[in-house]
Amino acid sequence: MENEPKNLKKGWELIAEAFAQKGVEYLFTVPGESISPIQRAAEASGIPIVSARHEQAATFMAETYGRMTGKPGLVAVTFGPGFTNTLSAIQNANLSNSPLILMAGAHGAPSPDRLGLQDMKQEPIIESIVKKSLVCRQTERLPDYIDMAFRYAGTGRPGPVFLELPIDVLDGAVESENAVRLHTEVASRPIDPNDVVKMMTLIKESLKPVIMAGSGAYFSQAGPELAQFVEKAGIPVFTGKFGRGIVPDSHPLCFESSVGLRPGAAALATIDSDCIILLGNRLCLYNATGSLYRPDAKIIQVDIEPEEIGRNRSVDAAIFGDVKRLLEACTHWIDAKGAGESLRERFAPWIAQLQKEHDNNKELSKFHYTSDQVPIHPARLAKEIDRFMDRPDDIIVYDGGDMPTWMLSYRTCEAPWNEMASGLYGCLGCGLPYAAASKLIRPQSRVMLCTGDGSIGFSFMELETCVRKGLPIVVVIGNNNLWGMTANSMMLKFRHHIPNTVELDFVPYHKLMEAIGIQGFFVENPADIGPALKAAFDTGGPAIVNVMTDPSIMGPGSAGLAMIAGNEF
Ligand SMILES: Cc1ncc(C[n+]2csc(CCOP(=O)(O)OP(=O)(O)O)c2C)c(N)n1
């Protein structure tokens, strides 16, 4: 017949085309009737589907992909309970600026508000915790909305995007030529030369400048330019959040993590620097919102999102732009002015002061990390793990309360992703999915999860995902039979643990997964930690190392939170 459509495309075919165009590498998901066309699209375009045991875990996996690659991770969940199960992980990505796209099914136009299965209005619930919330209401616009979701998630300051795809839209079919196919890549913004002069003038006038490089520096891939700049100018650098490791800790001008309450060089820099240079690094909990900086310290803040500049403290140089390009321009400025030598001389006493503080602190903490006590001192466990995970591409994921903060204190980072943690949202349960996805994305790396015994319970079944997908991660549980950080906060507030809240029974975690082939190791003596870690990796499969740690020792995280937030924790 004359008017018969020639080239009908189903919703899933349009999605498959869009996925291919965007170079989607994985689809993280949990099965659900409303989203099978999205899974069909992945199947058709040869994209591996990673099906987790809980939608929160699938979302954390997509977040890991976003963090590690800088490209949005994709997660598809069914409507209703599948959708609500993602919310903690979505807010986690939101506070961490991790690029990801959550695609959820929804009832088609004829069925809402009829008491159908799992009916709910999803958008109002998620709107406040995503960078952008989108609903596609026409099959022909599926590629258009996917393009939009990628643009919102991946450009500027990255973040999570919600894309609702109703069943009738997914199941629809349209003439191919009517499909709205868009694909745009946005280039980064050039640096204003006036900003370079402003920044270099403040630096030149200072005596004790420090660079605090954060996730923005990581996402702009500024590591080499940052190392070159600090070498030229002789400025000390600290790294934080996703920026950890972009300049290696072993670099003579790098003084490890920028967390302001960390004893040693970080604490000295925080309270004594007269010029703080924040490169893609927000003023937040980790630097006590800037409240510990000297009142007269000059603040230079560089960010790809102008609204972020000036949060919590007024700044002296607000620079809107890409960190990598700015650093290139600043290095060029130093060369052009021949200013390198005089800057390095000017800042040399400051570097020496930081180095002394750094060395003193290492010496002081020896007392803890060399301890032979039983139950094991958590600092000893952290140090043994750091020693063992010594390859530049080793990844350690943290989960829990105090256990991660012990690791943060002792972990040395020589490259990005030598450590990964939840971030500002502090969402327990992220660990196993982060570790599983890290192994998937970086199969050549050794991947370890280091977790508290409370937190391991949230996502324990993801070990089955690891077995099914062939992801040989090693899980180290710092087992103190306690929700440690919360127990500490109770002790600080009430001088006792409220019964039936923070105590956990002894659980032989190392034996729990034997039935699905996961070997376990039990460690009570510090000398056995190293050999157990080796044996666990040598199994060639996922393995668990259950390490008994001392419940009476308060971690640096509990102490730090109490100092910053007082009674709020
Ligand atoms: C999903 C979630 N629930 C509760 C908390 C509150 N919380 C923060 S730390 C912590 C204790 C963690 O205990 P554990 O995993 O055993 O680690 P530890 O502090 O003992 O190292 C709790 C319950 C949270 N951050 N996230």
Side-chain angles (χ1 to χ4, degrees), residues 400-404 426-428 452-455 458 480 482-486:
D402 273 347
M403 198 55 230
C427 187
L428 304 183
D453 54 326
S455 301
F458 284 101
N480 54 7
L482 207 60
W483 296 91
M485 182 181 264
T486 315

Side-chain angles (χ1 to χ4, degrees), residues 511-564:
K511 291 189 181 165
L512 284 189
M513 286 287 173
E514 273 175 1
I516 57 168
I518 294 184
Q519 288 188 51
F521 302 85
F522 186 52
V523 177
E524 291 181 283
N525 196 303
D528 298 333
I529 297 170
L533 298 180
K534 179 168 182 333
F537 276 104
D538 285 350
T539 65
I544 298 173
V545 184
N546 187 10
V547 184
M548 298 313 293
T549 56
D550 189 341
S552 69
I553 296 176
M554 184 176 300
S558 296
L561 276 179
M563 266 173 77
I564 297 178

Side-chain angles (χ1 to χ4, degrees), residues 27-40 49 51-52 55 76-83 103-106 117-118 165 167 170-171:
L27 178 68
F28 300 95
T29 190
V30 170
E33 294 68 20
S34 67
I35 48 158
S36 53
I38 303 172
Q39 294 159 344
R40 178 75 185 91
I49 296 175
S51 189
E55 287 83 358
V77 300
T78 197
F79 53 26
F83 162 83
M103 304 169 107
L117 179 70
Q118 300 169 344
L165 300 171
I167 291 177
L170 287 173
D171 286 345

Side-chain angles (χ1 to χ4, degrees), residues 56 88 378 399-406 422 425-430 451-458 477-488 502 504 509 549 558 561 569:
Q56 173 174 296
S88 294
D399 196 355
D402 273 347
M403 198 55 230
T405 63
W406 286 111
S422 157
Y425 199 50
C427 187
L428 304 183
C430 62
T451 175
D453 54 326
S455 301
I456 191 64
F458 284 101
I477 301 172
N479 188 351
N480 54 7
N481 298 334
L482 207 60
W483 296 91
M485 182 181 264
T486 315
N488 292 332
V502 291
L504 290 165
Y509 295 102
T549 56
S558 296
L561 276 179
F569 283 88

